[in-house]
Amino acid sequence: MSNIIEFPIGRNYANYWTVPDGIRELYANMLDYAKMNPNAVEFHYDSITKCLHIANAVDEPMAVNALVLGNSNKEVDEIGQFGEGMKMAYLALVREGRKVTTINVDEVWTPSFQQSEQFGVETLCVEIKPNDGIQKLEVRHIIEVTEEEVRTFMENTVTFHRFVHGTEPYKVETSKGTVLLGATMNGHIYVG
């Protein structure tokens, strides 16, 4: 048996969001679960299935209220404190024609656009079904993307700087935060 959650969000909302933006938001959520430890987050691209896997162990499944826009159980200093990232990621990725599946321990969440009887237009929906497969205590996002889209995301994410550029960025600590220096950092601003 499945349940469909309908969001009053149309296809063109935040149409400046790209596939790498969607990847960024799902990765940021996993970093929050891992308490900012990138090594605890599984991040790999399967070139055979053309899918990116972003996963992290959890103590319990995400509650369905994680799908409420603006609802978050995260602390003020955590990345996902505003409760919109995953929904925005779903919106951007599905709008760009990417298949997204979130395995949430004992459930499978699948976002899509569906014609709304209530609103008379296509809206973002998430179908929730039981996970009949092997159930691990993890949340796993499986995103159909190209290698180029994954590379674009990685090139703009400090966590992957060493992998992409072969070295760590030069850092200067200040009372307001960290300044990253070097040719690969020119023109980039990182928050959180």
Side-chain angles (χ1 to χ4, degrees):
M1 179 155 184
S2 70
N3 182 24
I4 295 180
I5 308 294
E6 181 178 336
F7 298 88
I9 301 175
R11 181 182 291 272
N12 292 323
Y13 182 72
N15 61 4
Y16 50 88
W17 275 56
T18 64
V19 170
D21 293 325
I23 295 169
R24 178 197 66 229
E25 288 302 318
L26 296 178
Y27 178 70
N29 280 348
M30 292 296 103
L31 279 180
D32 269 352
Y33 282 121
K35 300 298 180 212
M36 298 304 295
N37 178 4
N39 296 323
V41 177
E42 178 187 331
F43 184 94
H44 80 272
Y45 183 74
D46 184 327
S47 58
I48 295 170
T49 63
K50 307 284 190 229
C51 288
L52 174 64
H53 291 249
I54 306 172
N56 195 67
V58 294
D59 295 327
E60 58 187 30
M62 284 188 294
V64 72
N65 68 12
L67 293 173
V68 174
L69 194 60
N71 186 55
S72 178
N73 62 358
K74 295 179 182 175
E75 301 296 322
V76 172
D77 62 343
E78 289 184 299
I79 298 168
Q81 66 178 322
F82 301 110
E84 60 189 19
M86 184 172 65
K87 283 71 79 177
M88 295 297 292
Y90 282 170
L91 174 71
L93 292 165
V94 174
R95 178 180 50 233
E96 294 300 319
R98 302 310 188 271
K99 181 179 178 189
V100 180
T101 303
T102 299
I103 300 172
N104 181 22
V105 182
D106 59 351
E107 296 177 330
V108 177
W109 296 6
T110 308
S112 65
F113 285 105
Q114 297 183 20
Q115 185 67 25
S116 170
E117 290 182 24
Q118 182 176 4
F119 299 112
V121 296
E122 275 190 324
T123 61
L124 180 65
C125 296
V126 175
E127 181 177 18
I128 301 174
K129 291 182 180 179
N131 179 7
D132 296 328
I134 297 172
Q135 297 172 8
K136 293 183 184 179
L137 278 175
E138 73 173 9
V139 171
R140 175 176 298 274
H141 300 289
I142 304 168
I143 312 153
E144 182 183 86
V145 292
T146 67
E147 287 186 58
E148 180 61 30
E149 290 163 332
V150 173
R151 181 129 184 117
T152 298
F153 158 76
M154 291 173 71
E155 286 173 350
N156 292 301
T157 306
V158 172
T159 305
F160 296 101
H161 193 275
R162 176 181 286 278
F163 178 80
V164 173
H165 301 289
T167 181
E168 291 292 327
Y170 181 68
K171 300 176 183 179
V172 176
E173 299 293 332
T174 73
S175 62
K176 301 286 184 184
T178 305
V179 178
L180 303 174
L181 301 174
T184 60
M185 295 290 106
N186 290 344
H188 295 278
I189 297 175
Y190 299 93
V191 179

